[in-house]
Amino acid sequence: MRLEKVLGGRWLQLCPVPADIYVCMISSAHNVAAQGKYIAIASTTVETAEPEKEIKPALDLLEPIEQKFVSISDLFAPTDLGTESQIFISRTYDATTHFETTCDDIKDIYKRMMGSEFDFEEMKRKKNDIYGEEEQQ
């Protein structure tokens, strides 16, 4: 999926970019900005020597921009699984803004530590649990 915009109920691709561009916008509704102000984060995986140009399509959508901060972070990944050393290291955050890859990383660490997938069914509330409620559906 590339940066797209809804126009008349249809999604339009704005630019052919090599990596996805993610935009997250928050406001006073989230209690993080003054009324009428917005905070936006535009991110991507840098693939050229001109990273700011890579997110230009997103920045154009966000105009007018009152203040802009640009930072670039390296991506790191563990060099071994940790099963021998018993040191389990996560990957760094990537460009995504919804933490899906971070959740995948946490599940991967659990599997490397425990030797099996995390069982989310075990997390469901049971009858007579500490809350004294019946099983949640």
Side-chain angles (χ1 to χ4, degrees):
M1 176 187 235
R2 300 292 178 242
L3 182 64
E4 298 173 332
K5 183 176 182 180
V6 176
L7 184 61
R10 296 176 44 197
W11 287 95
L12 302 175
Q13 185 170 333
L14 297 177
C15 63
V17 294
D20 291 340
I21 299 173
Y22 299 90
V23 178
C24 175
M25 185 177 290
I26 52 182
S27 68
S28 61
H30 304 96
N31 296 318
V32 296
Q35 190 73 28
K37 300 289 183 180
Y38 297 87
I39 298 171
I41 301 168
S43 60
T44 191
T45 300
V46 175
E47 297 184 355
T48 70
E50 301 177 286
E52 201 167 340
K53 276 189 175 180
E54 294 182 44
I55 60 168
K56 186 175 179 337
L59 297 177
D60 290 346
L61 286 175
L62 298 171
E63 288 291 341
I65 297 173
E66 203 169 289
Q67 286 186 313
K68 178 173 58 173
F69 306 93
V70 178
S71 67
I72 300 166
S73 302
D74 292 327
L75 294 176
F76 296 98
T79 56
D80 67 65
L81 297 177
T83 51
E84 294 292 320
S85 65
Q86 292 295 290
I87 298 171
F88 301 94
I89 300 172
S90 65
R91 293 170 174 79
T92 54
Y93 292 129
D94 62 11
T96 59
T97 55
H98 55 285
F99 299 107
E100 179 181 354
T101 54
T102 303
C103 292
D104 291 341
D105 192 32
I106 292 167
K107 292 187 296 186
D108 176 60
I109 291 171
Y110 182 90
K111 184 176 180 180
R112 288 187 280 135
M113 290 174 70
M114 305 305 287
S116 63
E117 301 280 338
F118 183 79
D119 184 4
F120 286 95
E121 290 297 314
E122 290 295 316
M123 296 299 294
K124 286 187 175 179
R125 287 186 178 178
K126 305 290 183 206
K127 189 173 184 176
N128 297 322
D129 68 3
I130 60 170
Y131 300 102
E133 299 170 1
E134 295 195 20
E135 183 174 340
Q136 303 292 311
Q137 296 298 329

